[in-house]
Amino acid sequence: CTHYVKEIQLLTHQENGWHFDATHTHPDQIRDFQLEDMVTKMFEVAPEVCDLKTTIILCMAMHSRDTCCNALQSVMGVFLHACNTPDKVVKVLACLGISISLSTIRYAIKSLSKRSYLNIKRLGRTLLTSYAFDNFDVLLKTLIATVDGCDNRGLLHTTSGTLLRLEHSVTLEDLKRSQFLWNRSKLNLKATDPKPFDPLPVEAIPVTKLNQVSLRATDISQSTVAGNIDTIQNMYSQAGVGKPTDRSENSGEPFVDLEEFVTIIHGNPSTYEHILSALQRQSVERTSYNRLSSVVFVMGLFHFKMATADTIWQLLVAPNSARTDETSVMKIADQLRPKESSLLVSGAKFCQQHELIQHVRAVLRLNAWRVEIRKRMKKSLEKWAELRPLLSEVQEIADCLTENYVEGEELDLYDFAHQLSQQRDIVWENTMRTHHYLLLYGELCYAMNEGDIGRFKTLLPSWIPMFLACGKHKYSTKTLLFMHTVHFIYPKGLKRAIRYNILVNPSGKPHSFRAVDWMVELLNLYIKAIYGGEELNYTKELILLESVLILLYRSNHGNMEWNLKIAVALL
């Protein structure tokens, strides 16, 4: 027993690195904490410590002897706060020596929020970043009327944002194009004519893990042009960039000059409209910063993907005439989901639309194989598969299906329009067009998941007329405008920077690319539903204060569950 006491005394010495000032916590201390590293270091000082459980017990004993030895307790306290753990539970765990106290946790959260600005400015001041922001509404339950009015009692309109490092060899010279773009802008009376660029072949974005920091959410409504201008300037201020005459509120350092550089900003078509209006409004200003010449808008592909799924729905599901054929989407959906089919016609959410489109596409494709095999060999698809056909034979049939079962260059259904109705097979024509639409959506999803930006680019011209056909004029015009701007106005380096950073890879693994606006929506989910607090902790001030720590909370969750071997499915 005396031997263990001496080892505990030795471990509590400050030079061993277990003194953790929770009130001056730095985000890296929470993000990089690994319990296995603590086991290894403790074993070097105290060889009796040989496993995880003994290390945790020794941490509790060290904390009871010296409260400054609270590395594990501080990380656990932040973890409990991120889990919205009730105060009574935290107090009990603090008394047991597993966590720091409630007051110390609050000090630690304030310190983390303040010091997170250092990470934002460190990344933002490099200018090799892109910005993304989106609005999110939070309903705070209030019983007493406020001066804001009773109609929107407790409804908070806020904006979240994130800062993403530009990858794939993007340089400052590629972004030093503010004056170049102004000379090509239609808002500039002295602008030169745009010069077209030769189209590039299909290309894939290299797999690189995303480097991202979340910005502090702002109490700014994004529903107006002025709100979007204020949001952009607020993000610049947090990142430490802008006019060099201005200084940072936290560090007092002068801002990095944006006069000659552009910044990539991601958003949905509504944000695009507001930014175009803002650029037109500010075009009369003399300075580049006031003209917002540094703003280069990039279309959010997650909202584009949702629009394509809804377009499929409007064309193949919503019309009554589209649900009569036996091979129609809803006839197949009725077999796949008999209890939900009636609700899916008008009330389907994006996830339901996406899953059902993929399932119906697979069913129709298998049905095409079944029909072709029956026509050729008088066998069922299962019997033919048992014969183990050669790859060349499978490829030959696949080519035949592409040419004869899908609308396209080889099969233009408009050629049948002049024929008499008695001579036409309407069900067959509708099925071929359904194949075409579903395959377009499937290829779009594949290109986005694989990061094949070249393939994605070739699909855009097909979706623009489909948007027009179902009344999505905003998406059709903004998509066409975005394509024209990227291909005919932007120079080669900036064009490459946009193309290779319009999709990001948060995990750094193949087949795991995500749209930037999807990352912002995930951030909003974390803020509103998972790490935003509960009851008394769910206030506007705390939501805005801790919004900059959301990714840190997420990392802390993952580390604690890995350290303690907790098997939990994470978002």
Side-chain angles (χ1 to χ4, degrees), residues 2 5 44 80 213 219 288 293 343 361 389 417 431 440 448 456 569:
T2 305
V5 172
E44 297 174 357
L80 295 174
V213 294
D219 190 8
S288 173
S293 297
L343 300 176
R361 182 167 64 92
T431 305
L440 273 177
M448 292 180 62
F456 176 85

Side-chain angles (χ1 to χ4, degrees), residues 131-338:
Y131 297 76
F133 65 97
D134 193 12
N135 66 300
F136 68 97
D137 298 332
V138 178
L139 182 61
L140 304 176
K141 297 180 181 180
T142 58
L143 300 178
I144 302 175
T146 63
V147 294
D148 296 332
C150 299
D151 294 336
N152 296 321
R153 184 183 300 174
L155 184 62
L156 178 63
H157 301 285
T158 55
T159 301
S160 64
T162 186
L163 200 61
L164 308 99
R165 187 174 67 188
L166 297 176
E167 304 289 355
H168 314 298
S169 305
V170 176
T171 64
L172 287 175
E173 192 62 31
D174 295 333
L175 303 179
K176 199 173 182 179
R177 291 292 182 266
S178 177
Q179 188 62 35
F180 180 92
L181 298 183
W182 176 244
N183 288 334
R184 286 191 169 184
S185 173
K186 65 179 181 180
L187 302 175
N188 183 3
L189 299 178
K190 300 180 181 180
T192 59
D193 294 331
K195 299 178 180 178
F197 295 95
D198 296 331
L200 296 176
V202 176
E203 57 183 333
I205 302 173
V207 176
T208 304
K209 187 173 182 180
L210 174 65
N211 186 323
Q212 173 191 12
V213 294
S214 58
L215 298 172
R216 186 183 299 279
T218 58
D219 190 8
I220 301 174
S221 177
Q222 202 186 334
S223 60
T224 63
V225 175
N228 281 263
I229 295 175
D230 292 341
T231 299
I232 292 173
Q233 292 176 343
N234 181 274
M235 292 193 299
Y236 284 165
S237 177
Q238 292 189 51
V241 300
K243 294 187 292 187
T245 54
D246 295 339
R247 291 183 174 272
S248 173
E249 296 180 0
N250 297 303
S251 62
E253 297 178 354
F255 285 169
V256 175
D257 191 5
L258 271 181
E259 181 72 22
E260 299 180 346
F261 296 92
V262 296
T263 56
I264 297 173
I265 296 181
H266 306 262
N268 55 39
S270 296
T271 304
Y272 198 3
E273 280 189 335
H274 287 133
I275 288 182
L276 289 176
S277 299
L279 292 174
Q280 187 171 5
R281 175 190 297 183
Q282 302 296 117
S283 62
V284 297
E285 298 290 342
R286 297 183 60 183
T287 64
S288 173
Y289 181 79
N290 291 335
R291 286 198 305 263
L292 298 178
S293 297
S294 59
V295 175
V296 169
F297 184 84
V298 174
M299 185 173 60
L301 300 190
F302 176 59
H303 286 81
F304 182 88
K305 182 178 179 180
M306 288 194 293
T308 59
D310 191 62
T311 298
I312 295 291
W313 224 248
Q314 296 299 323
L315 296 176
L316 301 181
V317 176
N320 292 329
S321 58
R323 302 196 295 268
T324 58
D325 297 343
E326 290 300 321
T327 56
S328 66
V329 172
M330 287 313 300
K331 287 289 186 179
I332 299 175
D334 187 49
Q335 300 178 46
L336 296 175
R337 302 181 183 182

Side-chain angles (χ1 to χ4, degrees), residues 18 29-40 75 555 558-560 562-563:
W18 307 122
Q29 294 175 295
I30 303 297
R31 185 181 297 108
D32 299 336
F33 178 83
Q34 293 290 339
L35 202 56
E36 294 178 352
D37 296 339
M38 180 177 278
V39 173
T40 303
V75 176
S555 175
N559 285 341
M560 292 304 297
W562 171 263
N563 290 329

